[in-house]
Amino acid sequence: MQIVRNNVELFNALAVARLQGKTIGFVPTMGALHQGHLSLIAESQTTCGITICSIFVNPTQFNDKNDLEKYPRTEEADLKMLSAVNCDVVYLPTVEDIYPEDWICPEFDFGDLDKVMEGAHRPGHFKGMSQVVHRLLWLVQPDKLFMGQKDFQQQTIVKKMLELLHWKTELVRCEIVRETDGLAKSSRNVRLNKEERQQALTISQVLFQLKKENFPSPNNFYKWAIAELEKQSLIKVEYVEIVDTTTLQAVDNWNTKQELVCCIAAKVGEVRLIDNVLIK
Ligand code: AMP
């Protein structure tokens, strides 16, 4: 596994791969890696000749300073995990590599996609996220980009960004990897204490119940789900929304042919968690 720590080293590694005619697969992450991230690497390895994983905790996408400071940083363990799964290249850029003084980032118009859910609750988050993903894609120029369904809205906005830029990179959506009890794997889970970890489970449980039970309407589900979540003393719900997967607009009935996704964001103690399920 090649570890590259600046853009010159990155370009050299990519040039060799391109000369060899290899398809480039790219997995951007913020580190504190877990099986969810590794599933993206595995997916890339099945179809690409070379897999690049970046680790960069992007300061511009954190609207909460405390969240940024507390974000787990585990470089040594991350490198071990990536090496164990034979990732080809790990790119660990500095802030200067990503944001050189003279770099001009386009402003994207995502319509309503970035106004709802995470966009409404984390002001500036998607501006920062699209800024860093745009820069990383510009540097790596991958054939395929692997992102998790876990961050559903993020992945929808990146898809829109690729369309707006007319870039040919193919975005591959990868399934959510969960703990055996159902909690979605997240770098933030390590910050949960025992009681919070137990209560956090309700998030995936209400999502699974939506798939099992015939709720008469989305509204009926919201009422039930919010009540279930708020029975847990440490959970504070930010939103529960059932939206069209392409427009991300909430639906008020089930009479649609569109694919729907139910997304939840909640704070469990101090830790903000998100999860979702596709419902048709
Ligand atoms: P992050 O490091 O949290 O920015 O995540 C990097 C990538 O890993 C994103 O595309 C996430 O959607 C994806 N990811 C995070 N958690 C999971 C998970 N539990 N299962 C699958 N993919 C995930």
Side-chain angles (χ1 to χ4, degrees):
M1 182 174 81
Q2 203 177 343
I3 300 170
V4 300
R5 289 190 182 268
N6 59 56
N7 294 345
V8 176
E9 288 173 10
L10 174 72
F11 292 152
N12 287 340
L14 289 167
V16 173
R18 285 203 178 94
L19 271 177
Q20 293 169 339
K22 289 182 174 165
T23 318
I24 297 173
F26 180 43
V27 179
T29 79
M30 297 204 296
L33 301 182
H34 50 68
Q35 289 302 322
H37 298 111
L38 297 188
S39 74
L40 271 53
I41 306 272
E43 190 76 29
S44 170
Q45 287 170 330
T46 59
T47 53
C48 298
I50 180 170
T51 294
I52 304 202
C53 174
S54 66
I55 298 179
F56 180 67
V57 182
N58 175 36
T60 70
Q61 74 188 64
F62 283 82
N63 56 313
D64 177 351
K65 244 182 124 191
N66 189 41
D67 194 23
L68 173 62
E69 273 162 24
K70 295 243 167 82
Y71 202 84
R73 287 163 174 84
T74 56
E75 185 180 304
E76 205 182 320
D78 290 349
L79 293 176
K80 265 195 198 150
M81 285 171 91
L82 291 171
S83 166
V85 297
N86 297 316
C87 181
D88 299 291
V89 180
V90 191
Y91 173 45
L92 297 149
T94 60
V95 174
E96 291 71 33
D97 282 319
I98 297 298
Y99 300 120
E101 264 177 32
D102 52 355
W103 174 252
I104 298 165
C105 179
E107 289 260 339
F108 298 101
D109 180 359
F110 297 119
D112 289 331
L113 295 180
D114 60 351
K115 313 267 185 310
V116 295
M117 299 192 289
E118 293 299 282
H121 288 265
R122 300 182 69 187
H125 170 66
F126 286 124
K127 189 166 183 235
M129 183 283 291
S130 53
Q131 200 177 27
V132 76
V133 174
H134 171 263
R135 175 70 173 148
L136 286 166
L137 287 175
W138 192 89
L139 291 165
V140 177
Q141 310 218 355
D143 299 289
K144 293 190 183 196
L145 169 66
F146 296 84
M147 299 189 95
Q149 180 201 317
K150 163 91 173 10
D151 296 87
F152 196 90
Q153 190 172 7
Q154 164 175 291
Q155 168 247 284
T156 308
I157 288 172
V158 171
K159 190 164 165 231
K160 179 75 183 174
M161 183 174 80
L162 290 168
E163 278 169 26
L164 291 170
L165 291 163
H166 298 276
W167 281 358
K168 294 274 177 288
T169 301
E170 180 193 341
L171 177 59
V172 182
R173 180 170 87 192
C174 303
E175 279 178 21
I176 301 175
V177 176
R178 299 180 177 280
E179 303 289 351
T180 44
D181 61 5
L183 179 72
K185 292 210 183 236
S186 164
S187 305
R188 291 187 165 90
N189 290 352
V190 294
R191 292 179 50 207
L192 298 168
N193 67 29
K194 209 171 157 204
E195 202 181 345
E196 289 164 348
R197 170 69 182 77
Q198 186 56 36
Q199 294 196 13
L201 199 51
T202 318
I203 299 172
S204 54
Q205 282 170 345
V206 298
L207 287 170
F208 297 155
Q209 197 60 26
L210 174 62
K211 293 199 59 133
K212 260 201 245 153
E213 205 178 305
N214 285 325
F215 286 89
S217 69
N219 242 327
N220 182 276
F221 170 74
Y222 297 150
K223 279 190 193 134
W224 173 80
I226 292 170
E228 283 300 300
L229 288 162
E230 294 199 332
K231 272 184 205 163
Q232 308 298 323
S233 56
L234 302 171
I235 293 191
K236 221 170 164 279
V237 179
E238 285 197 3
Y239 61 81
V240 178
E241 295 235 27
I242 295 174
V243 302
D244 179 315
T245 54
T246 36
T247 63
L248 300 184
Q249 294 306 296
V251 294
D252 59 9
N253 63 68
W254 306 122
N255 304 329
T256 170
K257 289 201 171 67
Q258 300 301 322
E259 186 186 38
L260 300 176
V261 61
C262 179
C263 301
I264 294 183
K267 270 199 155 176
V268 186
E270 285 298 302
V271 186
R272 190 174 185 282
L273 299 179
I274 55 171
D275 196 356
N276 66 75
V277 286
L278 289 164
I279 32 184
K280 59 169 167 167

